Amino acid sequence: MVHFFPTPYKDELFYSMLARFHLRSGNISYKETLKDLFGVTTITASVFLPSSLKRLEERLPVGAKLTAEEIVYNHTLYPFYTAFLPETRAYQILTSMMEGNGKDIYNRAGIMAGKVKPPSYLRYCPICAKEDMEKYGEMYWHRIHQISGIEICLDHFVWLNNSTVKVQGANKHIAYAASIETCDLNRIRNVESSTVIQHYQRMKEDIEKLLSFNFPRQSKEVLSKRYKIELQRKEFASINGKVDQIQLRQAFLDYYGEEFLSLLQSSVIEDGNWLEAIARKHRKSFYPLQHLLFIHFLGLQLSDVFEEKAFACYQPFGEGPWLCLNPFCHYYKQHVIQEIKVTACEKTGEAIGTFTCKVCGFSYTRRQSMTEPTQISRIKNFGDQWINGVIKMVESGMSYREVARKLGVDT
């Protein structure tokens, strides 16, 4: 058991807390520090997803409020990396961080297999570092600055700098503190591109939400379904779910620009890119920032993706009930049709709705492109009321042509 442990700062990496403890412990060897905190000397000082945190919790001072769970959720990148993973997989990673040896954590989180590579050096914002020095008398490693794809400080909108501390150093058991020796506080680089700043500004709130993730996790199938519905609403996908990848890619590039996408290691220039895959049925996991890019492009919010109430079916003809358009029906032009059948045109893929009134039997179709609510594409079934109405019109002396013109049908 140790007699003290540093109080964590806001958004401080657990790695940073280890480094600060070592400086205050008086230990000459870092192995002594690991022995004090974990009871063993083989623990890896992992930057993103540390392990054996239950060991640490058991050795903290009596009455310490800091728990292993608090460390995971507030001082590691676990909430961010697992936000879009299924519950079972996220729990496996959590268990490994609490009790495991850490060997399987990165593979389960998809960090090693993904095309988005983690930074090689710990990063810092020189303005944040100066503010930390003034407020706390020392610097520390901020969690949000270590996320791949976040290349600027989201508070001060200057470029993040690489420190001299490697993420995977020569000695994996040592945690190095943020200091004026490892960080050049005079190197401040302003972001010149207003477009890059604007896109990061739009994403800032959702990135912070992912770091304090409190949504119900969804399966890959549910996420894929939600995206498909919105792609259909935005007419990037047909009623059958086939995505127009060329149109989607161009619109996505027009929205973000290649400069910003490249910063996030998420270019869509090459064929077979992540955008094509995320728009289809999900067969793999995607980097969290890629989900955010796609969500924002579709005009959605995080709550639209994670909350169950948001999963409404795609309705190309709006919400019912719909109009009966039989002029002989007592409910003519009234919203009495409760259900419709939606199919896709074999030639164009356009949605076609079949509307049937259960009162009179009149059935008609409409194409999705029709804007006038009383416009009919084709009558599929006239029904007895319509036929009897036509007979009465003819018997009253009206010509076939006149009757056809009044009813909008072929003579």
Side-chain angles (χ1 to χ4, degrees), residues 234-269:
K234 297 292 191 296
E235 299 185 6
F236 289 113
S238 69
I239 188 66
N240 291 334
K242 185 177 180 180
V243 179
D244 186 335
Q245 294 287 1
I246 295 176
Q247 181 190 7
L248 175 63
R249 185 197 300 190
Q250 189 56 56
F252 196 80
L253 273 171
D254 291 343
Y255 185 84
Y256 284 113
E258 178 60 17
E259 179 187 13
F260 182 68
L261 293 175
S262 295
L263 283 175
L264 273 64
Q265 301 183 50
S266 298
S267 174
V268 297
I269 295 295

Side-chain angles (χ1 to χ4, degrees), residues 94-383:
L94 177 62
T95 302
S96 295
M97 293 178 69
M98 291 290 195
E99 302 171 0
N101 57 18
K103 291 182 179 179
D104 60 346
I105 294 175
Y106 284 79
N107 287 330
R108 282 178 174 166
I111 297 174
M112 304 307 293
K115 290 187 176 181
V116 178
K117 301 302 180 184
S120 299
Y121 294 85
L122 282 164
R123 302 184 300 181
Y124 66 96
C125 164
I127 301 177
C128 285
K130 288 179 180 179
E131 291 177 350
D132 295 340
M133 292 279 283
E134 292 174 4
K135 188 173 183 179
Y136 305 114
E138 61 182 335
M139 299 160 52
Y140 65 92
W141 300 118
H142 288 242
R143 189 170 51 149
I144 197 169
H145 294 163
Q146 317 313 322
I147 295 176
S148 301
I150 300 180
E151 302 300 321
I152 71 174
C153 174
L154 299 182
D155 289 324
H156 301 107
F157 296 100
V158 297
W159 294 106
L160 294 177
N161 292 333
N162 285 337
S163 69
T164 59
V165 179
K166 287 188 174 182
V167 170
Q168 293 181 328
N171 190 333
K172 63 182 181 180
H173 303 295
I174 298 178
Y176 297 92
S179 65
I180 56 175
E181 286 76 26
T182 58
C183 305
D184 182 357
L185 302 191
N186 295 317
R187 189 173 182 238
I188 299 176
R189 300 174 298 148
N190 294 317
V191 181
E192 302 297 337
S193 172
S194 59
T195 302
V196 167
I197 292 175
Q198 287 170 4
H199 284 309
Y200 272 125
Q201 282 178 323
R202 293 191 190 110
M203 297 181 74
K204 181 179 186 289
E205 183 179 348
D206 282 344
I207 291 169
E208 291 171 346
K209 284 181 179 178
L210 291 186
L211 283 171
S212 56
F213 188 78
N214 60 358
F215 295 105
R217 299 184 192 279
Q218 303 292 357
S219 66
K220 289 190 291 186
E221 291 75 19
V222 170
L223 287 171
S224 179
K225 178 184 176 183
R226 183 67 186 90
Y227 292 159
K228 175 185 171 183
I229 291 171
E230 206 58 37
L231 285 168
Q232 290 172 322
R233 285 177 177 160
K234 297 292 191 296
E235 299 185 6
F236 289 113
S238 69
I239 188 66
N240 291 334
K242 185 177 180 180
V243 179
D244 186 335
Q245 294 287 1
I246 295 176
Q247 181 190 7
L248 175 63
R249 185 197 300 190
Q250 189 56 56
F252 196 80
L253 273 171
D254 291 343
Y255 185 84
Y256 284 113
E258 178 60 17
E259 179 187 13
F260 182 68
L261 293 175
S262 295
L263 283 175
L264 273 64
Q265 301 183 50
S266 298
S267 174
V268 297
I269 295 295
E270 297 179 1
D271 291 335
N273 57 71
W274 68 270
L275 179 63
E276 292 181 9
I278 204 171
R280 298 192 183 107
K281 182 177 180 180
H282 293 184
R283 292 178 173 82
K284 63 175 185 176
S285 299
F286 299 91
Y287 187 60
L289 287 187
Q290 292 175 340
H291 279 284
L292 281 190
L293 286 169
F294 200 52
I295 288 168
H296 286 201
F297 168 73
L298 292 174
L300 299 173
Q301 298 179 6
L302 279 180
S303 58
D304 295 326
V305 173
F306 288 107
E307 292 179 6
E308 202 170 318
K309 65 181 181 181
F311 288 85
C313 294
Y314 171 52
Q315 296 177 315
F317 298 95
E319 293 187 6
W322 296 270
L323 297 174
C324 172
L325 296 180
N326 177 4
F328 300 104
C329 181
H330 178 69
Y331 295 101
Y332 178 52
K333 288 188 178 180
Q334 293 186 39
H335 294 85
V336 294
I337 298 176
Q338 299 294 331
E339 297 179 2
I340 63 172
K341 180 182 179 181
V342 180
T343 56
C345 176
E346 293 183 0
K347 292 183 179 180
T348 66
E350 182 181 11
I352 298 176
T354 301
F355 303 76
T356 303
C357 177
K358 291 186 176 180
V359 177
C360 66
F362 186 80
S363 181
Y364 64 95
T365 64
R366 283 172 49 81
R367 290 181 173 272
Q368 183 183 1
S369 56
M370 292 178 170
T371 56
E372 173 55 51
T374 58
Q375 189 177 2
I376 293 175
S377 177
R378 174 172 166 251
I379 297 174
K380 297 189 72 173
N381 186 40
F382 292 97

